[in-house]
């Protein structure tokens, strides 16, 4: 790779060992992907911070980097951890202690301890065309597709390396020619809610893998629907970008999205949406003992929806209801009275953590109901849970009744 003088000095260790290690990592990645040079990034988002993924070895490495003077060079946010720092949820004490050590190490490096996969809900919003180095697949696909920022599907280590150097190798989705669509999906069904968008993403993700899908026929989606569509695409496939014709910034039209290239078309009807939902359902019995909403973390609107659905009702005594969000959104939800409504009903609004990266299985729960396609995809393997997948209304009904589906 061709490096600037400053980048060469980073590589030679002039700015300390952490920066040297970070630049070595970026050069190695750039060599693998054939990047010719580095480009400056405006921000970074570091993921993989849950104890489940970081491990105690990673924790000790992060502490050593912090002790050796590692400091971020660009605004850097942190992803979800496996602990709610505002309360005791009954998770194992040593798990919580180690998890806190990870978060503190990164905060010592100058990162914002946002502990959320939706930093864009609390003011960290990359602009159109801006190069960034964000990890967390749901955030990557959102920033590329909906905001038009430029980001590869970074892992935690490469996002950390970019945070310390302010650089990333220039390849993949940083380049115009790699941001065009590959396959058209014509939507011939009314998408009614987030669960429909998640089912669509899950179905399409399995078809396209790492390619870029283009959607035609999605009319006036909400921000949250686009967030959940992207998260589903990124989990069932490895999608890092999608276009919605007439909606997302790099697709004013279908032909715009494909940049004049030829394409094949797949038609999506109610049948494919149902198939997507069936694939996300793995529970064997109707009894539900755990309901989780908020993967990606809830917006203020999603928390309000839960509060409205549960107001004046009671969560079944055999069910744990968790609503995941960030500390920032939780603060607003508290001021607006939504937290009180949900907690009076027996639910808990968590901050910082989530089901997949946390450890709810330590509470002994077995069967989850969720409206998140990403959570439904990962929870069987990551948490050992059977899953019911459906609308937020169906999930809240399951939390109240203790079972999925109509009253028996
Ligand atoms: Fe966010 Fe955790 Fe889901 S990081 S996207 S809530 S798996």
């Amino acid at each position: 790779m061709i490096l600037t003088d400053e980048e060469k000095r980073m590589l030679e260790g002039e700015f300390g060992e952490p920066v040297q290690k970070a630049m070595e990592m970026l050069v190695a990645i750039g060599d693998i992907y054939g990047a010719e040079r580095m480009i400056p990034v405006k921000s970074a988002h570091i993921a993989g911070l849950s104890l489940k993924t970081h491990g105690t070895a990673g924790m000790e490495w992060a502490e050593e980097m912090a002790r050796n003077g590692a400091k971020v060079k660009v605004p850097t946010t942190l992803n979800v951890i496996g602990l709610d720092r505002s309360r005791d949820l009954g998770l194992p004490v040593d798990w919580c202690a180690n998890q806190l050590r990870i978060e503190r190490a990164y905060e010592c490096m100058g990162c914002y301890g946002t502990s959320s996969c939706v930093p864009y809900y609390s003011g960290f919003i990359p602009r159109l065309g801006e190069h960034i180095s964000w990890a967390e697949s749901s955030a990557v696909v959102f920033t590329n597709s909906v905001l038009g920022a430029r980001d590869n599907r970074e892992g935690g280590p490469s996002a950390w390396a970019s945070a310390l150097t302010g650089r990333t190798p220039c390849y993949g989705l940083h380049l115009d020619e790699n941001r065009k669509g590959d396959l058209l999906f014509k939507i011939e069904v009314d998408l009614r809610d987030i669960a429909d968008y998640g089912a669509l993403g899950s179905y399409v993700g399995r078809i396209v893998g790492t390619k870029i899908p283009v959607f035609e026929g999605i009319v006036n989606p909400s921000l949250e629907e686009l967030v959940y569509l992207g998260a589903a695409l990124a989990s069932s496939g490895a999608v890092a970008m999608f276009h919605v014709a007439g909606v997302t910034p790099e697709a004013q039209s279908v032909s715009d999205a494909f940049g004049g290239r030829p394409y094949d078309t797949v038609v999506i009807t109610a049948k494919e949406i149902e198939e997507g939902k069936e694939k996300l359902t793995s529970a064997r019995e109707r009894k539900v003992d755990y309901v989780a909403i908020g993967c990606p973390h809830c917006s203020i609107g999603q928390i309000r929806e839960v509060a409205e659905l549960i107001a004046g009702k009671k969560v079944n005594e055999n069910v744990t209801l968790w609503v995941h969000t960030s500390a920032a959104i939780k603060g607003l939800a508290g001021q607006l009275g939504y937290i009180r409504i949900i907690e009076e009903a027996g639910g808990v609004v968590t901050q910082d953590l989530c089901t997949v990266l946390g450890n709810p299985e330590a509470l002994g729960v077995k069967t989850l109901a969720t409206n998140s396609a990403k959570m439904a995809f990962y929870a069987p393997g990551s948490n050992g849970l059977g899953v019911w997948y459906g609308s937020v209304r169906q999930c809240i009904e399951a939390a109240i009744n203790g079972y999925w589906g109509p009253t028996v």
Side-chain angles (χ1 to χ4, degrees):
M1 292 181 73
I2 300 166
L3 300 179
T4 64
D5 282 350
E6 189 187 14
E7 288 159 2
K8 282 182 194 154
R9 284 159 52 213
M10 289 182 192
L11 198 56
E12 284 157 9
E14 195 177 319
F15 300 94
E17 189 205 351
V19 170
Q20 184 179 29
K21 279 194 188 319
M23 189 48 89
E24 283 171 359
M25 195 187 302
L26 295 177
V27 168
I29 294 168
D31 284 344
I32 290 168
Y33 289 102
E36 290 176 1
R37 61 188 174 96
M38 297 286 172
I39 39 168
V41 294
K42 287 278 191 184
S43 64
H45 178 72
I46 302 176
L49 300 167
S50 160
L51 185 61
K52 217 175 218 178
T53 40
H54 223 63
T56 48
M59 172 186 79
E60 283 160 9
W61 173 86
E63 288 177 333
E64 189 192 329
M65 287 296 117
R67 268 196 306 275
N68 288 350
K71 288 283 175 215
V72 298
K73 214 172 164 170
V74 294
T76 301
T77 45
L78 299 180
N79 205 48
V80 168
I81 55 175
L83 161 82
D84 181 332
R85 287 174 294 171
S86 71
R87 68 169 83 221
D88 178 4
L89 288 169
L91 298 173
V93 173
D94 54 342
W95 164 278
C96 295
N98 284 342
Q99 183 63 80
L100 275 179
R101 284 175 61 182
I102 294 172
E103 182 83 356
R104 284 205 189 111
Y106 284 90
E107 285 179 357
C108 284
M109 296 184 215
C111 302
Y112 293 106
T114 42
S115 303
S116 176
C117 46
V118 292
Y120 44 85
Y121 283 159
S122 49
F124 296 93
I125 307 174
R127 285 181 295 122
L128 180 66
E130 197 166 278
H131 296 281
I132 60 174
S133 181
W134 284 32
E136 169 47 42
S137 63
S138 70
V140 171
V141 71
F142 178 81
T143 54
N144 271 315
S145 313
V146 181
L147 303 180
R150 297 186 169 218
D151 188 17
N152 285 321
R153 230 175 114 114
E154 302 295 346
S158 59
W160 170 84
S162 290
L164 259 66
T165 58
R167 306 288 201 284
T168 194
C170 186
Y171 72 97
L173 291 173
H174 291 286
L175 300 169
D176 287 346
E177 61 266 30
N178 297 325
R179 297 176 68 82
K180 300 299 177 196
D182 292 303
L183 188 57
L184 179 67
F185 291 86
K186 217 169 173 175
I187 310 302
E188 296 189 349
V189 54
D190 241 359
L191 300 172
R192 294 159 304 178
D193 57 21
I194 273 177
D196 281 358
Y197 278 85
L200 170 65
S202 178
Y203 182 88
V204 170
R206 285 199 307 276
I207 294 175
V208 296
T210 58
K211 294 197 164 74
I212 299 180
V214 178
F215 297 100
E216 182 185 26
I218 292 182
V219 182
N220 202 18
S222 69
L223 196 66
E224 290 88 345
E225 286 165 346
L226 293 173
V227 169
Y228 275 61
L229 170 63
L233 286 165
S235 49
S236 72
V239 174
M241 183 168 186
F242 64 90
H243 298 288
V244 180
V247 173
T248 54
E250 293 172 65
Q252 294 310 305
S253 64
V254 170
S255 67
D256 191 22
F258 285 100
R261 296 193 307 199
Y263 55 85
D264 289 328
T265 302
V266 177
V267 173
I268 300 287
T269 65
K271 178 176 157 285
E272 284 74 29
I273 300 299
E274 280 318 304
E275 199 179 313
K277 287 184 180 175
E278 274 164 28
K279 277 262 188 314
L280 293 167
T281 298
S282 55
R284 296 215 172 83
E285 50 170 322
R286 288 184 65 198
K287 184 170 173 292
V288 166
D289 55 10
Y290 179 48
V291 177
I293 308 291
C295 170
H297 273 175
C298 282
S299 68
I300 190 68
Q302 288 173 288
I303 295 180
R304 178 163 79 174
E305 188 180 4
V306 172
E308 286 173 352
L309 287 167
I310 210 163
K313 303 188 176 120
K314 282 283 171 213
V315 172
N316 186 283
E317 59 183 1
N318 299 316
V319 176
T320 298
L321 168 64
W322 281 3
V323 180
H324 302 309
T325 192
S326 64
I329 296 295
K330 187 179 168 191
L332 180 58
Q335 279 189 40
L336 297 176
Y338 306 146
I339 307 276
R340 182 182 49 74
I341 293 170
I342 294 168
E343 299 201 343
E344 277 178 6
V348 174
V349 179
T350 70
Q351 65 173 68
D352 309 320
L353 62 65
C354 74
T355 291
V356 175
L357 299 177
N359 198 9
E361 58 274 25
L363 306 176
V365 295
K366 299 273 182 267
T367 305
L368 162 73
T370 185
N371 70 336
S372 161
K374 178 169 178 175
M375 198 192 300
F377 182 84
Y378 283 119
S382 170
N383 309 93
L385 301 175
V387 178
W388 287 105
Y389 176 74
S391 68
V392 66
R393 178 179 291 279
Q394 286 174 297
C395 292
I396 296 304
E397 282 170 5
I400 293 164
N401 297 333
Y403 53 84
W404 185 262
T407 310
V408 281

